[in-house]
Amino acid sequence: MGLFSKLFGKTDEGGKLDLSPEQFIQTPYVQHALKRYQKRAVILNPRTTAGPINPKLSKFGGAPNLNGLDTYPCCDVCDRPLNFVLQLYQRDFPEHYYPKGKDLFQLFRCPNSTCPDAYSEPFLAGHKMFVYYCR
Ligand SMILES: [Zn+2]
């Protein structure tokens, strides 16, 4: 059964296609999915800065702290240098998982839209993402 059939019922069986957002959230299928897949989340509050941000701070964009990496990271498929997305220090996000002995989470993405492996991980916005944990 397709997602829309689960949400709205089959139109030839009198299913509704005109739900308001409030009605949509209350459908049994959405309520079940919310209950089953709910997770704790952190709301980030990114802001633009006038100058570069210290690489020893949690941040989106800018220059990453590369002290924990031997070389600037490159895509393991197309070999292009990765784009830095964000870094989170454990001191700022203690509720998140960090491997023992690591206190820095870094996320990079392959910038190559024609990378043969770019779409291999469907939940990561279509671009291959790379995760590093450093100290
Ligand atoms: Zn790539």
Side-chain angles (χ1 to χ4, degrees), residues 72-73 80-86 107-112:
Y72 192 89
R80 288 207 186 165
L82 299 175
N83 286 350
F84 172 64
V85 177
L86 67 88
L107 186 65
F108 293 82
R109 67 182 278 273
C110 176
N112 180 4

Side-chain angles (χ1 to χ4, degrees), residues 67-103:
N67 291 341
L69 302 172
D70 295 333
T71 60
Y72 192 89
C74 293
C75 179
D76 60 2
V77 175
C78 69
D79 215 28
R80 288 207 186 165
L82 299 175
N83 286 350
F84 172 64
V85 177
L86 67 88
Q87 65 183 25
L88 304 174
Y89 282 92
Q90 188 174 27
R91 67 178 177 265
D92 300 323
F93 299 92
E95 67 276 22
H96 289 286
Y97 167 79
Y98 289 82
K100 190 173 185 178
K102 309 291 184 184
D103 66 352

Side-chain angles (χ1 to χ4, degrees), residues 1-11 14-21 23-34:
M1 180 182 276
L3 174 63
F4 287 102
S5 294
K6 287 180 182 176
L7 290 174
F8 305 113
K10 293 184 178 178
T11 54
K16 296 183 75 176
L17 295 175
D18 58 349
L19 297 176
S20 69
Q23 291 170 319
F24 173 77
I25 292 295
Q26 295 306 321
T27 59
Y29 182 77
V30 171
Q31 286 297 307
H32 171 75
L34 289 173

